[in-house]
Amino acid sequence: MSVDPSRGGRDSVPAPLRRPAVAAVVLAAVLLALLAVRYAGGTSPRWFDVHADAAAGAALGEHRGVWQTLLRLGGPLQIAVVAVALAVLALVLRRRRLALVAIAGPGLTGLATSALKPLVGRLLRGDLAFPSGQTGGATAFGLVAALLLISVLRVGRTGAALILAGGAVLAGGGMALALVVREWHYPTDTIGGFCTAVVVVLGAALLSDGAARWRAGRPRS
C-alpha cells in the first residue's frame, strides 16, 4: 500500500503508519518509565552507562571537534529555528497539520524533558541529567523532517517506516553520541530523551489526525 500525497499524505501520520506509530509511542513510553524508575535519584553511571560510554569514547573520541560542532548546532535556539523552517515548508506544501506538529513537537518535547528532570532527580556533576533535552530536541526534529518527507513521497508502509525510523535515529542518535563522547550526559539519559521525543512528537501527530477525522465525521448543524 502506498502513501498518496493527494489523499492520505495530508495526514501527519499516513494511514499505513498509524499502527506502527502507536506501537512506537507505547514502547517508548514504557521504556522511558522503566529508565526513569531505574535511575531516579542516581548520581553515578550504572553498568550500561559505563560500557556504552567506554565503547563510544574508544570508537569516536578522536573526532571531538566534530561532536562539539554538532552540540552547538543542537542548542535550543537552533532547534527552534529549524522547527520554524520546517513549519513554513509544511505550510508551503499545504500540510497544515504537520506545520502544527513541527512547532508543537519540539516545543512540547523540551517542556517534557525539563519537567521530568526534577521528578527523576538523576545528577551528573551536580546537574539534572535525565532525560536529555538536547537528544529529545534533535530526535523531534528528525521525526518531523521524516514525516514531512513521507507526506510528499510515494512509498509503501515499509519504506515510510524506514524513513521515519531513520530520521529519528540519524538526528537523535547523532546528538546522543556527541553528548556521550563529550561527557555531557550518561548514555541512558540520551535514550530517555529519544523516547520522550517519540512519545511527544508521534503522539501529537496521531492526536492531531484523530481530532481532524473526528471533526470531519461530525454531523453539521
Side-chain angles (χ1 to χ4, degrees):
M1 185 174 183
S2 63
V3 179
D4 186 348
S6 65
R7 296 183 181 181
R10 298 211 181 267
D11 286 337
S12 296
V13 181
L17 274 186
R18 284 176 197 155
R19 287 186 178 180
V22 171
V25 169
V26 172
L27 288 174
V30 170
L31 180 55
L32 177 62
L34 291 174
L35 289 173
V37 172
R38 178 69 177 86
Y39 296 107
T43 58
S44 61
R46 298 295 180 92
W47 180 89
F48 178 84
D49 294 312
V50 171
H51 287 79
D53 196 359
L60 305 167
E62 295 180 359
H63 308 287
R64 289 180 178 270
V66 175
W67 303 120
Q68 189 63 36
T69 300
L70 184 58
L71 289 176
R72 292 194 189 100
L73 294 175
L77 177 60
Q78 289 81 356
I79 292 294
V81 170
V82 172
V84 171
L86 286 174
V88 171
L89 180 58
L91 289 174
V92 170
L93 294 172
R94 298 182 180 180
R95 305 296 192 267
R96 288 178 294 178
R97 273 178 255 160
L98 265 178
L100 177 61
V101 173
I103 298 296
L108 292 175
T109 298
L111 290 175
T113 55
S114 296
L116 285 170
K117 283 182 178 179
L119 292 177
V120 177
R122 189 186 199 189
L123 300 177
L124 173 61
R125 292 190 290 273
D127 294 325
L128 293 170
F130 183 96
S132 165
Q134 280 185 281
T135 305
T139 306
F141 154 70
L143 287 168
V144 172
L147 287 172
L148 188 56
L149 181 60
I150 291 167
S151 76
V152 297
L153 293 180
R154 282 183 174 274
V155 292
R157 179 170 61 183
T158 300
L162 288 174
I163 291 173
L164 188 61
V169 171
L170 285 175
M175 181 58 67
L177 285 173
L179 291 164
V180 171
V181 170
R182 297 298 291 165
E183 299 181 352
W184 285 20
H185 273 288
Y186 300 117
T188 42
D189 298 336
T190 65
I191 296 174
F194 185 95
C195 290
T196 303
V198 170
V199 172
V200 173
V201 176
L202 290 187
L206 289 165
L207 286 173
S208 69
D209 289 344
R213 289 193 298 273
W214 178 75
R215 288 196 300 269
R218 284 192 308 171
R220 296 185 178 181
S221 58

